[in-house]
Amino acid sequence: QPNSFTYNYIINCCAQEASHDENEQRISFEIAIKAFQELRKMAASSNNNDDDSCSTDAYHPDSFTYAFTLKACTNLLPPSPFRTKVATQVFKESCKKGYCNDEVMKRLRWCVDTDNFHELIGTDARDVRINDMPSSWSRCCLPSKRRR
């Protein structure tokens, strides 16, 4: 059965679509979002649905999932309200689930305009890192990824 590594690989491969053909980019984005949704569905059907706890199985979105999904948004969708909406939902979910890290924040910065980025993170500081954000946003990230 595919696990989060498998789905993350699919999302990242889609995000790296090099074609300038809009139809190919749309198809790649649809595949990436379907993989993201399937992984979320697997997590929802697992025994651990509590938003405050960190899943220990290999069948849930993690910081790679959120970063790769934001990468897909940036690379495959033109700047638009739709891209901002998708990126906002992905980012907010990563924070809620505790899987936001510096890579997720970097990908968000590239995906949305500056005003939206600052609104989402709650500050207009120039150099923002995950350590500057609420610890709950990254509570499920590996300790080596979050310096304390």
Side-chain angles (χ1 to χ4, degrees), residues 8-125:
N8 289 344
Y9 187 79
I10 292 167
I11 296 166
N12 195 35
C13 285
C14 290
Q16 295 183 56
E17 165 61 49
S19 172
H20 294 292
D21 181 272
E22 286 183 26
N23 190 49
E24 287 183 24
Q25 289 179 336
R26 181 187 54 76
I27 291 168
S28 292
F29 181 74
E30 288 173 1
I31 293 168
I33 289 300
K34 178 128 175 85
F36 178 64
Q37 291 170 337
E38 286 294 316
L39 186 54
R40 291 170 72 221
K41 206 182 309 182
M42 288 174 66
S45 67
S46 73
N47 294 333
N48 187 1
N49 289 329
D50 185 6
D51 283 341
D52 291 333
S53 63
C54 300
S55 181
T56 56
D57 65 32
Y59 305 100
H60 67 280
D62 58 20
S63 58
F64 291 100
T65 311
Y66 296 110
F68 293 155
T69 304
L70 288 170
K71 181 179 178 182
C73 289
T74 302
N75 292 350
L76 303 172
L77 296 175
S80 65
F82 177 71
R83 181 168 105 172
T84 299
K85 179 181 178 183
V86 173
T88 297
Q89 290 173 343
V90 170
F91 175 72
K92 286 182 176 182
E93 182 177 313
S94 77
C95 295
K96 181 179 180 181
K97 300 288 186 178
Y99 287 103
C100 184
N101 63 10
D102 284 327
E103 188 66 21
V104 170
M105 291 186 51
K106 178 177 83 172
R107 296 291 177 179
L108 176 69
R109 182 184 292 272
W110 292 347
C111 195
V112 300
D113 65 40
T114 302
D115 290 340
N116 281 308
F117 177 76
H118 290 251
E119 183 179 327
L120 285 166
I121 64 167
T123 180
D124 59 358

